[in-house]
Amino acid sequence: MSGSKSSSETEEGLAFQPSFDASGLVTCVATDAKTGDVLMVAHMNEEALRRTVETGDAWYYSRSRKALWRKGESSGQVQRVLEMRTDCDQDAVWIKVEQQGAACHTGRRSCFYRAVAKGEGAGIRLAFVDAERLFDPAEVYRAKA
Amino acid sequence: MSGSKSSSETEEGLAFQPSFDASGLVTCVATDAKTGDVLMVAHMNEEALRRTVETGDAWYYSRSRKALWRKGESSGQVQRVLEMRTDCDQDAVWIKVEQQGAACHTGRRSCFYRAVAKGEGAGIRLAFVDAERLFDPAEVYRAKA
């Protein structure tokens, strides 16, 4: 949280003043507006936020590619934003979206296609859940290869 | 993503090998298991993850207080974890929880109690939604004041 803004203004105010991190980003959680499932966790910079609010399409900032991207611009799997909310300290946003096809670049509906097994000890295991591929990444991203 | 792990192992493997960031953290999204609403976005370090998996209570790492904390240890508003999932690149986890009372330190059920208004231009406004307080922070955190 920025030291220049009071806690009460950030938490109780009605001005959207995102608290960007050192890299200029806020965390964005996208959920399926119908099911409530978390589809993906990604990041937005100021420009991605602005474009998302203005256009109603989800825009993100890729930390690995260091580039702004409109979700679905390569894959066609766009996200229409039905509602955006921010949290108490304004360093995260939650968007409820209509997801075209699959959110994950692996072709799954959600990036969260593996459950963490309960239990003790080292070597925690995962199990696939809702992991059916809705598209073939090799096909969809062929132009990028 | 760590350079020591292959992309396919991280994305398609069944070993839980969280990709901690430079601060040793992964992002955690907690949703209400009943409604699908996002309750909060916070962080877990390796120890918080381990305790969460082992105990079924949500543990986090506070970046501001630089301390491990069990959700609800001050407020009583604990989170029982019904399911944990990780995402494709294993740098985020999603927990579906039974939230006792309110998740937000402001007393609201969810930290996301303000909607971002659609539209163009500077000065984007917020509007309260689902912002009823379930507890009085001044009362609940009195011992900490």
Side-chain angles (χ1 to χ4, degrees):
Chain A
M1 215 173 335
S2 163
S4 64
K5 284 172 280 180
S6 75
S7 169
S8 66
E9 193 184 331
T10 302
E11 294 179 357
E12 303 300 331
L14 291 179
F16 186 37
Q17 298 180 313
S19 294
F20 297 104
D21 68 11
S23 305
L25 303 174
V26 293
T27 301
C28 176
V29 180
T31 62
D32 185 312
K34 279 212 192 73
T35 65
D37 283 349
V38 176
L39 295 172
M40 57 189 280
V41 172
H43 295 84
M44 292 183 177
N45 63 1
E46 190 164 17
E47 180 68 10
L49 264 177
R50 191 184 63 73
R51 293 192 188 192
T52 301
V53 171
E54 285 187 11
T55 67
D57 287 327
W59 284 78
Y60 296 99
Y61 183 83
S62 166
R63 293 179 299 176
S64 55
R65 289 185 284 121
K66 300 189 195 312
L68 203 67
W69 56 293
R70 185 171 64 82
K71 177 67 186 164
E73 66 188 3
S74 298
S75 65
Q77 319 290 298
V78 299
Q79 292 178 340
R80 285 295 297 170
V81 179
L82 301 189
E83 186 180 4
M84 178 188 281
R85 295 192 185 187
T86 191
D87 69 346
C88 45
D89 56 4
Q90 299 203 33
D91 65 355
V93 295
W94 165 25
I95 54 175
K96 300 182 191 180
V97 304
E98 281 180 353
Q99 173 69 55
Q100 189 74 30
C104 187
H105 74 288
T106 66
R108 277 91 172 199
R109 176 77 177 167
S110 162
C111 294
F112 293 86
Y113 50 83
R114 285 170 299 180
V116 179
K118 287 173 189 159
E120 298 196 14
I124 296 170
R125 304 295 291 174
L126 303 174
F128 285 103
V129 277
D130 306 329
E132 182 199 3
R133 289 185 205 266
L134 304 184
F135 67 76
D136 176 359
E139 188 70 26
V140 164
Y141 297 106
R142 176 177 289 178
K144 299 273 172 188
Chain B
M1 215 173 336
S2 163
S4 65
K5 285 173 279 182
S6 75
S7 169
S8 66
E9 193 184 332
T10 302
E11 294 179 357
E12 304 299 331
L14 291 179
F16 186 37
Q17 299 180 311
S19 294
F20 297 104
D21 68 11
S23 305
L25 303 174
V26 293
T27 301
C28 176
V29 179
T31 62
D32 184 312
K34 279 211 192 74
T35 65
D37 283 348
V38 176
L39 296 172
M40 57 189 280
V41 172
H43 295 84
M44 292 182 176
N45 63 2
E46 189 163 18
E47 180 67 10
L49 264 177
R50 192 184 62 74
R51 293 192 188 193
T52 301
V53 171
E54 285 188 11
T55 67
D57 287 327
W59 284 78
Y60 296 99
Y61 183 83
S62 166
R63 293 178 300 176
S64 55
R65 289 186 283 120
K66 300 189 194 312
L68 204 67
W69 56 293
R70 184 171 64 82
K71 177 68 186 163
E73 67 188 3
S74 298
S75 65
Q77 319 290 297
V78 299
Q79 292 178 340
R80 285 295 297 170
V81 179
L82 301 189
E83 185 179 4
M84 179 188 280
R85 295 193 186 187
T86 191
D87 69 346
C88 45
D89 55 3
Q90 299 203 32
D91 65 356
V93 295
W94 165 25
I95 55 176
K96 300 182 190 180
V97 304
E98 280 179 353
Q99 173 68 56
Q100 190 74 29
C104 187
H105 74 288
T106 66
R108 278 91 172 197
R109 176 78 176 166
S110 162
C111 294
F112 293 85
Y113 50 83
R114 286 171 298 180
V116 179
K118 288 174 189 159
E120 298 196 15
I124 296 170
R125 304 295 292 174
L126 303 174
F128 285 103
V129 278
D130 306 330
E132 182 199 4
R133 289 185 205 267
L134 304 184
F135 68 76
D136 176 0
E139 188 70 26
V140 165
Y141 297 106
R142 177 177 289 177
K144 299 273 172 187

